[in-house]
Amino acid sequence: MQHIFDGKVAIVTGGANGIGRCIADEFRAAGAHVYVIDKEDGNHFVGDISKREVLEAFADEILKKQSHIHYIINNALPIMKGIDECTYEEFQYALSVGVTAPFYLVKLLMGHMAPGASIVNISSSRDRMSQAQTESYTAAKGGIAALTHALAVSLAGRARVNSISPGWIDTAYATYKGADALQQPAGRVGNPMDIANMVMFLCSDKAGFITGENICIDGGMTRQMIYHGDNGWKLETE
């Protein structure tokens, strides 16, 4: 990927840490001009993307410097709280970060998308499976997966729009053994580069015939059936 994105403009939300930082670093290494927004302090635009005025200020700052946008990566993380504890306001906040902000950022910038532009939304394998007490996060990730194909149709001819659904990704690049690794048919837990590599591919010309897709990168975890008694796994109820 070295310098194949020279001079291109990439935007990454939630790009200060974890998957977002890895994506931003890969774009920089490939020669792109990268604009990051994150709540965490740092050498980037600092702000809460749940707020309309913050998104507008971020878009304005970019457009003062750049006439065209090539890539938008909607990666910022919604909160994860369950129905027992999640308040109305917290659920709305999760949807604002996870669905409304990606929609509105694209709306603000779509008139400036360069030919061959690509938008990649980061969903989650939780868009198709759940743990208990994860409603705010799961709803937001399901929402952005659906928003992806809607945008792909609306922006046809202007930008390709795809989403990635990561499974278990360890942002500290820890190595897992035993059951934690083996529950993925790939035999390991994922890391941010597994997602960044797909982002870079989807933004490249090699993916020019891919739009409206949700690509699950989970080491096969969501494809493996597990029944009581399989591989020593047991369901125990209280």
Side-chain angles (χ1 to χ4, degrees):
M1 292 292 180
Q2 190 72 19
H3 299 300
I4 68 169
F5 294 114
D6 273 345
K8 303 296 178 63
V9 176
I11 296 167
V12 183
T13 71
N17 293 292
I19 292 173
R21 179 174 180 175
C22 184
I23 293 168
D25 286 346
E26 287 299 293
F27 271 118
R28 292 186 187 103
H33 302 291
V34 182
Y35 294 86
V36 166
I37 183 170
D38 200 290
K39 289 195 303 181
E40 183 173 308
D41 288 339
N43 188 25
H44 52 258
F45 191 101
V46 178
D48 182 346
I49 67 168
S50 72
K51 301 180 184 300
R52 174 179 178 173
E53 61 272 19
V54 170
L55 289 168
E56 291 173 348
F58 180 51
D60 285 345
E61 175 147 319
I62 295 168
L63 294 175
K64 287 176 183 176
K65 302 173 183 176
Q66 305 291 342
S67 58
H68 290 90
I69 309 301
H70 298 85
Y71 315 113
I72 300 174
I73 316 301
N74 289 304
N75 166 78
L77 197 66
I79 60 171
M80 183 187 289
K81 299 196 77 171
I83 194 166
D84 287 354
E85 296 183 356
C86 188
T87 66
Y88 179 90
E89 291 77 15
E90 288 170 330
F91 194 84
Q92 287 294 324
Y93 180 77
L95 294 181
S96 292
V97 171
V99 184
T100 307
F103 165 80
Y104 194 53
L105 185 59
V106 170
K107 183 176 177 67
L108 289 169
L109 297 173
M110 65 182 183
H112 302 273
M113 301 302 287
S118 177
I119 298 166
V120 181
N121 298 321
I122 305 301
S123 182
S124 168
S125 60
R126 293 173 189 268
D127 63 4
R128 66 204 68 191
M129 61 190 298
S130 293
Q131 290 175 300
Q133 302 302 321
T134 62
E135 280 77 10
S136 67
Y137 185 91
T138 299
K141 291 304 187 179
I144 199 169
L147 177 65
T148 294
H149 56 74
L151 287 173
V153 175
S154 295
L155 298 181
R158 288 187 281 176
R160 293 180 298 103
V161 188
N162 294 288
S163 59
I164 297 172
S165 290
W168 184 354
I169 303 295
D170 191 288
T171 57
Y173 294 85
T175 299
Y176 292 78
K177 297 181 179 180
D180 285 338
L182 294 175
Q183 65 182 303
Q184 280 97 187
R188 66 174 176 87
V189 170
N191 63 64
M193 279 301 303
D194 292 314
I195 308 307
N197 285 335
M198 180 56 71
V199 170
M200 303 304 282
F201 171 73
L202 289 173
C203 289
S204 75
D205 293 340
K206 293 180 180 180
F209 199 54
I210 303 174
T211 193
E213 282 299 315
N214 181 300
I215 300 169
C216 188
I217 302 178
D218 68 345
M221 189 175 183
T222 57
R223 296 302 190 189
Q224 179 167 269
M225 280 188 173
I226 301 178
Y227 287 89
H228 176 78
D230 279 357
N231 300 312
W233 183 89
K234 294 181 180 180
L235 175 63
E236 297 179 356
T237 57
E238 295 181 354

